[in-house]
Amino acid sequence: MGSLQLLIPRGRALLVLDVVLLAWVLVWVILGLAIGREVRGLRQVSDTVTRVGRAIEDTGGAIKAVGSVPLVGGRVKDAASRVQDAGRSAVASGRASRQSGRNLSWMLALAIAVIPAVPVLGLYVPLRLAAVRERRSLRALLARPIPADELERALAHRALHTLPYRRLLAIADDPWADVVDGRYTALADAELARAGLSRPRPER
């Protein structure tokens, strides 16, 4: 977690990154809801199939009634029964497709809205919260009445563990030797800059 925090920018760049990632999540959430709404709109097709099926079923019933008239014969009754069966099948298919469309709309909405946001919610947010907690703890440490040399020493040692090697070597040719020799100022300032803080002003 500590090494990944080094990838998070500081200052204004951090605010820009927050806005960009928030916009990314909102765009996919809105897109997921819109697609889910469109899929739910397909329920009208299912309703149409259901109404047509009921009409066919009613037609079959009417034909069946005609088949009971003498001299018409049983063939009409058989045809009417098949028409009614077809109507019932259409009604059942319409109801089933309506339920499937409802389920599909929610699944699509959740998949489109959640999957792209998982890297942000699962990785960036914990790192961001950890950085906020670290900065708050460091600010509280700076507010304590700690001797300046001890504070610099603590910050310099911390810098050796948190700053990337490229940054350390840009501060000094041998930052580890600087710590051993008691030269803490540059490393302490770099550690404060990493956390987005500055040295407390001396009281007058």
Side-chain angles (χ1 to χ4, degrees), residues 32 56 72 74 161 172 185:
I56 293 174
V72 175
H161 295 285
T185 302

Side-chain angles (χ1 to χ4, degrees), residues 57-109:
E57 187 177 0
D58 293 341
T59 301
I63 295 173
K64 200 171 187 178
V66 174
S68 62
V69 177
L71 303 178
V72 175
R75 293 183 178 180
V76 175
K77 289 185 177 180
D78 294 339
S81 297
R82 289 194 293 270
V83 170
Q84 281 187 312
D85 292 340
R88 295 190 188 98
S89 178
V91 170
S93 298
R95 291 174 178 172
S97 62
R98 179 183 176 86
Q99 182 62 38
S100 298
R102 183 185 295 110
N103 296 337
L104 180 61
S105 67
W106 283 112
M107 287 188 292
L108 279 177

Side-chain angles (χ1 to χ4, degrees), residues 160-177:
L160 294 179
H161 295 285
T162 58
L163 296 178
Y165 292 123
R166 178 178 56 83
R167 177 70 177 127
L168 289 174
L169 295 176
I171 296 171
D173 293 335
D174 192 346
W176 296 272

Side-chain angles (χ1 to χ4, degrees), residues 105-140:
S105 67
W106 283 112
M107 287 188 292
L108 279 177
L110 287 176
I112 294 173
V114 171
I115 291 177
V118 166
V120 176
L121 299 177
L123 180 62
Y124 178 75
V125 170
L127 291 175
R128 185 71 169 88
L129 293 177
V132 169
R133 288 193 296 267
E134 182 184 20
R135 182 176 180 180
R136 188 178 301 158
S137 300
L138 184 54
R139 186 183 288 113

